[in-house]
């Protein structure tokens, strides 16, 4: 079942007589219970698009459906109800600084219409869920960035939302803290069955938790699908650029000039296919020498994408045939120059 459906959504801003079309005719479906990612470079329209889901940004055109119900024109009490059923967390945490962690959460409970008698119990329950049971009386400034984001997540979950929107929720955090927050979000997604929409420009986040992903560029969704499929065989130049930035191998320049003669090639392949036998086979068939200089496997969810850098040497014509054969068997093929700079073919 679809938790979120966007149909031909447009958002235009008017700034000093100029129109900015931040979102241009975006249609996408987010299934109930999944983690859906939106990736793209800065200014692509990701935040604006996600803000249409809870109508923080009202579409200029198009429709927004939540659980099959068209909410595009909701106002007043109906709009407040929708906002309560959709939690949101931001890069900058957005906690109120001069009140305690507990008070920040009670704020959300009050807005959600909870009876006073349930506030204490619910606050404790939420803080326990995010692993901060002992922090109710602390102030946000006394917590680490990761802890502050945990409070923001607890607050966003206060009113039992069915959907959680995360806008660059880990971008202000270091790698280890990010991992903790991503694990927490995955747990919340699995145990509470909350659908998550997560914006990021970082592929290492995308590969860890997204089930499906949409790639945005200049207000449009240029590619979408299952995360592994999109990133293992990108179709659009923006996706290719995102993946390349993440997966490309930079050989240390000092070893490159010392390498023996031959062609240096970077290969990308779906890591579930056994690749080593193929290399041995090609080397034997074309009487070429193929040495593996670098091998790396990156997991997207449970599925791997492999990156290899090989040096192919031998008699020129046979080597050319070996390279052509290799190229026909991989997802990505790139000839590297000795200085480590690429020479795209
Ligand atoms: N309130 C606004 N008024 C005018 N223009 C806006 C407004 N909000 C966003 N924009 C413009 O819309 C475009 C998309 O912005 P948006 O923040 O949605 O992109 P983004 O992909 O989330 O970028 P980032 O990753 O940098 O946050 C940008 O050109 C931005 O300047």
């Amino acid at each position: 079942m679809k938790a979120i459906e966007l149909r031909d959504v447009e958002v235009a801003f008017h700034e000093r007589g100029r129109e900015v079309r931040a979102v241009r005719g975006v249609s996408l479906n987010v299934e109930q219970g999944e983690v859906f990612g939106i990736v793209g470079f800065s200014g692509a329209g990701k935040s604006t698009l996600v803000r249409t889901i809870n109508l923080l940004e009202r579409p200029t055109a198009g429709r927004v459906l939540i659980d099959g119900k068209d909410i595009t024109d909701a106002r007043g009490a109906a709009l407040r109800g929708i906002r309560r059923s959709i939690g949101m967390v931001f890069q900058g945490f957005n906690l109120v600084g001069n009140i305690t962690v507990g008070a920040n959460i009670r704020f959300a409970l009050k807005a959600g219409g909870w009876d006073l008698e349930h506030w204490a119990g619910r606050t404790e329950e939420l803080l326990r869920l995010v692993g901060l049971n002992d922090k109710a009386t602390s102030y946000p400034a006394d917590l680490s960035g990761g802890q502050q984001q945990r409070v923001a997540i607890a607050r966003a979950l206060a009113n039992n939302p069915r959907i959680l929107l995360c806008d660059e929720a880990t971008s202000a955090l270091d790698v280890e803290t990010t991992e903790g927050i991503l694990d927490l979000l995955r747990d919340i997604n699995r145990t509470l069955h909350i659908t998550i929409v997560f914006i990021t420009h970082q592929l290492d986040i995308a590969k860890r938790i997204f089930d499906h992903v949409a790639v945005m560029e200049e207000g449009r969704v240029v590619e979408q699908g299952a995360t592994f499929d999109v990133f293992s065989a990108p179709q659009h130049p923006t996706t290719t650029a995102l993946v390349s930035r993440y997966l490309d191998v930079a050989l240390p320049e000092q070893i490159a000039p010392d390498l023996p003669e031959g062609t240096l090639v970077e290969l990308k392949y779906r890591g579930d296919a056994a690749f080593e036998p193929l290399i041995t086979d090609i080397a034997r068939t074309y009487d070429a020498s193929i040495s593996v200089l670098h091998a790396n496997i990156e997991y997207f969810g449970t599925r791997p994408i492999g990156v290899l850098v090989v040096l192919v040497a031998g008699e020129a014509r046979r080597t050319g045939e070996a390279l052509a054969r290799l190229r026909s068997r991989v997802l990505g093929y790139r000839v590297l120059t000795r200085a480590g700079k690429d020479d795209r073919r």
Side-chain angles (χ1 to χ4, degrees):
M1 175 165 149
K2 288 175 205 152
I4 303 165
E5 189 178 350
L6 303 181
R7 290 188 192 155
D8 298 320
V9 168
E10 295 265 342
V11 182
F13 296 111
H14 294 275
E15 250 190 353
R16 286 179 248 111
R18 202 172 61 93
E19 186 184 63
V20 179
R21 292 180 64 200
V23 176
R24 306 176 183 214
V26 168
S27 296
L28 53 82
N29 297 323
V30 178
E31 294 296 322
Q32 173 64 45
E34 73 168 324
V35 180
F36 190 96
I38 300 183
V39 300
F41 293 111
S42 184
K46 306 181 296 293
S47 296
T48 308
L49 180 71
V50 163
R51 288 159 61 86
T52 64
I53 296 171
N54 58 357
L55 299 178
L56 277 180
E57 211 67 75
R58 218 172 264 276
T60 324
R63 311 305 300 175
V64 178
L65 286 80
I66 302 294
D67 291 332
K69 191 163 162 254
D70 191 331
I71 62 155
T72 322
D73 301 318
R75 316 252 160 203
L79 180 58
R80 285 195 294 279
I82 290 161
R83 295 244 173 94
R84 272 199 300 277
S85 69
I86 304 177
M88 191 156 187
V89 291
F90 305 88
Q91 177 174 356
F93 321 133
N94 295 17
L95 299 175
V96 183
N98 60 352
I99 58 174
T100 63
V101 162
N104 265 276
I105 290 172
R106 289 194 290 276
F107 210 64
L109 294 173
K110 188 176 176 193
W114 288 68
D115 288 337
L116 188 59
E117 57 179 315
H118 296 303
W119 287 9
R122 179 66 178 155
T123 302
E124 200 186 315
E125 184 181 28
L126 288 161
L127 286 176
R128 200 176 327 113
L129 179 73
V130 298
L132 292 179
N133 354 2
D134 54 344
K135 298 292 183 198
T137 55
S138 302
Y139 284 84
D142 299 329
L143 303 183
S144 68
Q147 289 172 329
Q148 289 187 50
Q149 193 58 297
R150 283 171 189 267
V151 177
I153 291 169
R155 183 182 59 180
L157 297 178
N159 296 309
N160 291 316
R162 292 172 50 72
I163 296 170
L164 183 63
L165 308 177
C166 304
D167 189 349
E168 299 276 8
T170 55
S171 299
L173 306 173
D174 61 38
V175 176
E176 271 178 30
T177 314
T178 293
E179 285 187 6
I181 295 288
L182 294 180
D183 289 345
L184 173 64
L185 289 171
R186 233 330 170 196
D187 271 1
I188 287 168
N189 165 252
R190 291 205 176 122
T191 56
L192 304 179
H193 309 292
I194 293 176
T195 306
I196 294 180
V197 178
F198 196 112
I199 299 176
T200 186
H201 58 273
Q202 294 170 284
L203 247 65
D204 45 349
I205 291 174
K207 69 164 199 168
R208 277 180 67 109
I209 64 164
F210 294 175
D211 296 309
H212 285 93
V213 65
V215 182
M216 282 192 83
E217 172 71 30
E218 292 185 349
R220 297 192 175 85
V221 167
V222 293
E223 191 164 351
Q224 58 176 311
T227 310
F228 181 79
D229 295 341
V230 169
F231 291 141
S232 65
Q235 302 295 311
H236 190 274
T238 300
T239 321
T240 307
L242 283 163
V243 173
S244 298
R245 234 181 234 204
Y246 179 61
L247 284 181
D248 279 3
V249 178
L251 280 186
E253 293 198 5
Q254 63 275 25
I255 70 150
D258 298 339
L259 288 172
E261 281 297 298
T263 308
L264 207 51
V265 195
E266 182 196 85
L267 307 168
K268 269 182 212 131
Y269 63 99
R270 287 186 193 233
D272 37 8
F275 207 71
E276 298 287 343
L278 177 74
I279 288 190
T280 316
D281 187 38
I282 292 177
R284 207 175 285 139
T285 307
Y286 299 97
D287 200 18
S289 131
I290 305 182
S291 351
V292 177
L293 303 180
H294 176 97
N296 182 22
I297 290 192
E298 289 290 344
Y299 280 83
F300 284 72
T302 55
R303 304 174 68 191
I305 294 177
V307 185
L308 278 186
V309 175
V310 296
L311 182 71
V312 184
E315 189 265 314
R317 187 178 58 81
R318 301 291 278 162
T319 304
E321 287 169 358
L323 288 170
R325 176 107 175 90
L326 264 181
R327 186 175 194 163
S328 72
R329 299 295 299 267
V330 292
L331 293 167
Y333 175 97
R334 199 162 65 107
V335 175
L336 305 174
T337 64
R338 292 301 166 128
K341 291 189 187 120
D342 67 333
D343 168 15
R344 259 170 226 286
R345 291 206 176 159

